[in-house]
Amino acid sequence: MSFEGKVALITGASRGIGRETALLLARRGADVVVNYRGSQDAAEQVRDEIRALGRRSEALQADVADFTAAGEMVRQAISAMGRLDILVNNAGVTRDNLLLRLDEGDWDLVVDTVLKGSFACSKAAVRQMMRQHYGRILNIGSVSGLGGIAGQANYSSAKAGLVGFTKALAKEVGSRNVTVNLVAPGFIKTEMTAHLSEATVADVIESTPLGRLGTPVDVAAAVCFLVSDEASFITGQVLSVDGGLLMH
């Protein structure tokens, strides 16, 4: 599975799933643009690791919740790299609380980052991909968006919205050889799940048929497949990477 000659843009790529996806694509030959919101040092470290692999890389700052900034960041990536073949909408935040305690600001932050951010980046990227008659868009969803998780009404709603967005966009751009898919991770060992109590982690592992938490590499491997040429006849699909936690 080679990505030689391909350019990828990963949002929220300074750590976790985004970081591992950026590095795995680079190891397989892609040039990679690393987007970050606030973690400049971490993002530049990822950029430097990619360059050490002999690939081109840039680190671009943008809060994807800002529609204008997100679109401009994508345009900067295309300008710097000359093309854009792969977009991974990975940026996300959580602000968990029970609905009766959830305030409007925390709702808006999560929905704007996850859902509006994916819309903004995809809109800017699709223009280039349609001109190229080639593109791969991969949205990072969540089991929270497929099954719902108490205390995550904002996050579950945003990630569920991504499923509909994925399918609608896949139908719009398929004729231009652009695929759009979604990977829905389960509980993955990242900073986002580091706050979970030992009891919660134990419950999750007990409920997971494979008997462990996932790793960012588990998710990155699935992403790489779906954005590869080997997956050229797969679009509008949702792939759960959750150890069997949520089966349909």
Side-chain angles (χ1 to χ4, degrees):
M1 189 181 298
S2 173
F3 293 96
E4 291 287 340
K6 299 292 195 300
V7 173
L9 166 61
I10 320 296
T11 67
S14 63
R15 56 184 177 266
I17 291 169
R19 179 183 187 278
E20 291 304 326
T21 299
L23 291 172
L24 186 54
L25 284 169
R27 291 187 194 105
R28 295 181 177 179
D31 298 323
V32 183
V33 177
V34 176
N35 160 255
Y36 67 97
R37 182 180 63 175
S39 303
Q40 181 176 353
D41 290 346
E44 291 179 349
Q45 181 179 355
V46 177
R47 176 202 63 192
D48 292 344
E49 288 185 48
I50 293 170
R51 288 178 175 177
L53 294 169
R55 312 311 313 175
R56 293 185 299 157
S57 184
E58 299 291 341
L60 296 181
Q61 190 281 333
D63 181 353
V64 299
D66 181 329
F67 183 85
T68 301
E72 180 57 30
M73 181 269 297
V74 174
R75 287 186 284 274
Q76 288 177 11
I78 295 167
S79 177
M81 295 297 194
R83 61 183 293 118
L84 181 60
D85 303 286
I86 298 163
L87 169 66
V88 179
N89 287 309
N90 168 73
V93 295
T94 54
R95 293 292 186 275
D96 296 350
N97 220 328
L98 296 175
L99 184 68
L100 291 178
R101 299 173 183 169
L102 186 64
D103 64 38
E104 182 181 8
D106 286 345
W107 176 278
D108 288 345
L109 175 64
V110 171
V111 173
D112 285 354
T113 302
V114 172
L115 192 53
K116 189 170 78 172
S118 297
F119 158 56
C121 292
S122 297
K123 182 173 182 177
V126 158
R127 296 183 186 276
Q128 176 69 23
M129 291 176 175
M130 290 178 74
R131 282 195 292 267
Q132 296 170 175
H133 284 267
Y134 182 93
R136 302 283 184 265
I137 295 176
L138 191 291
N139 299 315
I140 300 295
S142 171
V143 292
S144 181
L146 302 181
I149 292 179
Q152 287 196 324
N154 49 1
Y155 192 71
S156 293
S157 297
K159 293 296 191 179
L162 268 186
V163 174
F165 175 73
T166 297
K167 293 177 180 292
L169 184 57
K171 291 180 178 179
E172 291 184 18
V173 299
S175 64
R176 297 296 185 95
N177 193 31
V178 178
T179 68
V180 189
N181 291 291
L182 182 144
V183 166
F187 285 82
I188 309 298
K189 291 181 184 177
T190 65
E191 290 182 19
M192 198 173 282
T193 58
H195 68 282
L196 296 176
S197 68
E198 290 185 10
T200 298
V201 171
D203 287 343
V204 169
I205 290 174
E206 185 177 357
S207 300
T208 301
L210 290 183
R212 66 174 176 89
L213 298 183
T215 68
V217 174
D218 291 326
V219 182
V223 171
C224 284
F225 168 66
L226 285 172
V227 300
S228 71
D229 287 340
E230 285 83 349
S232 63
F233 200 55
I234 300 173
T235 196
Q237 300 304 306
V238 174
L239 175 62
S240 294
V241 182
D242 62 2
L245 178 65
L246 190 66
M247 295 189 188
H248 294 277

